[in-house]
Amino acid sequence: MRHAVPALAFLSLAAPLFAAEAPVELAPSSQWNVDFAQDKCQLIRTFGEGENRHFLRFQQYSPGNAAGLTVAGPAFKRFRSRTLTDLRFFEGQSPHRTRPFTGTVEGYGDGVIYSGVTIDQGMPERPTKEETPPTTSLPLLDTALGKQVQFIELRQGGRTVRLKSGPLNAAFEVLNQCTLDLLRDWGLDPDKHLTAISGPRWTNQDVIVRRIQSDYPSEAAREGEQAILRMRVIVSEQGEVESCTLIEATETKELESPACRLMKNATFEPARDASGAPFKSYFATSITYRIG
């Protein structure tokens, strides 16, 4: 299931480059802490000790091959929002060229926030066999790729920070199971989703996205507020929107998105199971409000 991500972009703000510094490398100071809430799955781990303690979190709000990533701590103090940042997961990998948000994490301070990341960019292409059909149409985190991870490394300007996580295959397995359990909580059938031919297809996406973009909340605009919101829509067998849920991935004060109100007018082609019959499913995406 491929989901488009509507993003609301405004005036670009330039940021100065930093002078080169010695890389910061941090070893784990805790095991993975599992935190499964009603509408999300997350794994948290700390790195470093005392005043040099840092925070790493992977988050998912539905099954998928990408996860939200948040890192925080004193090493990220001079990282700037929406500034070109290289992201890597193992030695020799071509870096992801990214422009993440910055923010704060309680107890850790300055942080860097990604709406969703994958680790396969820069990987050599895998050989494909046309005669071998895919085992699932529902994208999940790739545990085989997760096993190759050595670290989470961010480089912005002249500063490099490396959290020495080691392989992530076990962590990915836990997140995959949690997100499948979320489907059950929403009254959906995970087994049908794992073998489905297709997910819901949003047929009037361009129209609805333009309305969401044009309805940027005025108070939030005056405050220069930025945010990442997760939207989940339950789509019936007839392709109708049964419910819409918005979850804040980042904290907001004035920003109240009109997305779910506007999604009442969204139309979908329903998901199709392995036999081609329509079935009740979901559509999930991120809405990014940003300045820059």
Side-chain angles (χ1 to χ4, degrees):
M1 300 178 187
R2 297 182 180 273
H3 304 318
V5 180
L8 309 181
F10 291 86
L11 177 66
S12 295
L13 304 177
L17 296 177
F18 307 123
E21 302 176 14
V24 176
E25 293 195 348
L26 295 159
S29 53
S30 77
Q31 299 298 316
W32 287 105
N33 178 33
V34 180
D35 181 8
F36 296 162
Q38 181 178 356
D39 288 306
K40 63 184 176 184
C41 304
Q42 56 184 19
L43 292 176
I44 297 169
R45 198 174 194 184
T46 59
F47 294 75
E49 302 283 354
E51 294 183 356
N52 197 38
R53 200 164 64 121
H54 288 68
F55 170 95
L56 167 67
R57 177 177 63 203
F58 286 104
Q59 280 184 324
Q60 286 191 297
Y61 294 79
S62 62
N65 57 4
L69 170 65
T70 300
V71 292
F76 299 102
K77 185 175 183 179
R78 292 202 296 275
F79 277 62
R80 304 290 183 87
S81 190
R82 305 301 300 163
T83 298
L84 188 63
T85 304
D86 286 346
L87 177 65
R88 294 198 309 157
F89 297 95
F90 59 91
E91 294 290 358
Q93 182 184 27
S94 299
H96 296 243
R97 311 310 298 272
T98 66
R99 293 185 182 274
F101 283 116
T102 57
T104 58
V105 175
E106 185 176 356
Y108 296 88
D110 298 282
V112 180
I113 304 165
Y114 287 92
S115 171
V117 299
T118 61
I119 64 173
D120 57 349
Q121 185 170 327
M123 290 285 207
E125 292 189 7
R126 295 178 174 183
T128 58
K129 295 182 179 180
E130 293 184 2
E131 67 275 12
T132 303
T135 57
T136 175
S137 65
L138 182 68
L140 297 174
L141 294 171
D142 191 325
T143 56
L145 291 180
K147 192 172 184 178
Q148 300 183 48
V149 171
Q150 298 170 330
F151 46 72
I152 292 90
E153 179 188 276
L154 285 78
R155 178 181 177 84
Q156 187 182 103
R159 165 153 288 207
T160 300
V161 181
R162 178 180 288 188
L163 305 180
K164 300 166 71 176
S165 65
L168 295 178
N169 53 306
F172 284 1
E173 287 176 2
V174 171
L175 284 173
N176 285 339
Q177 185 56 57
C178 177
T179 56
L180 291 175
D181 287 341
L182 285 180
L183 297 188
R184 295 185 181 93
D185 293 342
W186 303 338
L188 304 178
D189 186 338
D191 292 334
K192 278 192 175 182
H193 283 80
L194 287 170
T195 58
I197 295 173
S198 62
R201 188 176 73 84
W202 190 0
T203 56
N204 65 342
Q205 177 175 325
D206 290 345
V207 173
I208 301 298
V209 168
R210 281 198 299 270
R211 291 175 183 172
I212 294 173
Q213 290 174 333
S214 65
D215 201 355
Y216 188 92
S218 57
E219 288 295 326
R222 282 194 289 270
E223 294 289 332
E225 194 166 14
Q226 305 183 112
I228 299 170
L229 306 178
R230 308 289 186 173
M231 182 176 72
R232 180 182 72 248
V233 175
I234 301 300
V235 181
S236 72
E237 294 179 11
Q238 293 74 38
E240 298 171 348
V241 174
E242 289 193 356
S243 65
C244 177
T245 303
L246 273 182
I247 307 165
E248 292 183 355
T250 57
E251 292 185 7
T252 63
K253 296 178 181 179
E254 304 291 344
L255 203 158
E256 295 185 7
S257 174
C260 274
R261 171 171 53 83
L262 295 171
M263 286 301 292
K264 293 178 181 178
N265 298 314
T267 57
F268 288 85
E269 289 184 3
R272 301 279 174 176
D273 66 17
S275 68
F279 73 101
K280 184 177 177 180
S281 186
Y282 74 98
F283 179 91
T285 190
S286 297
I287 301 174
T288 303
Y289 290 90
R290 65 172 178 256
I291 297 176

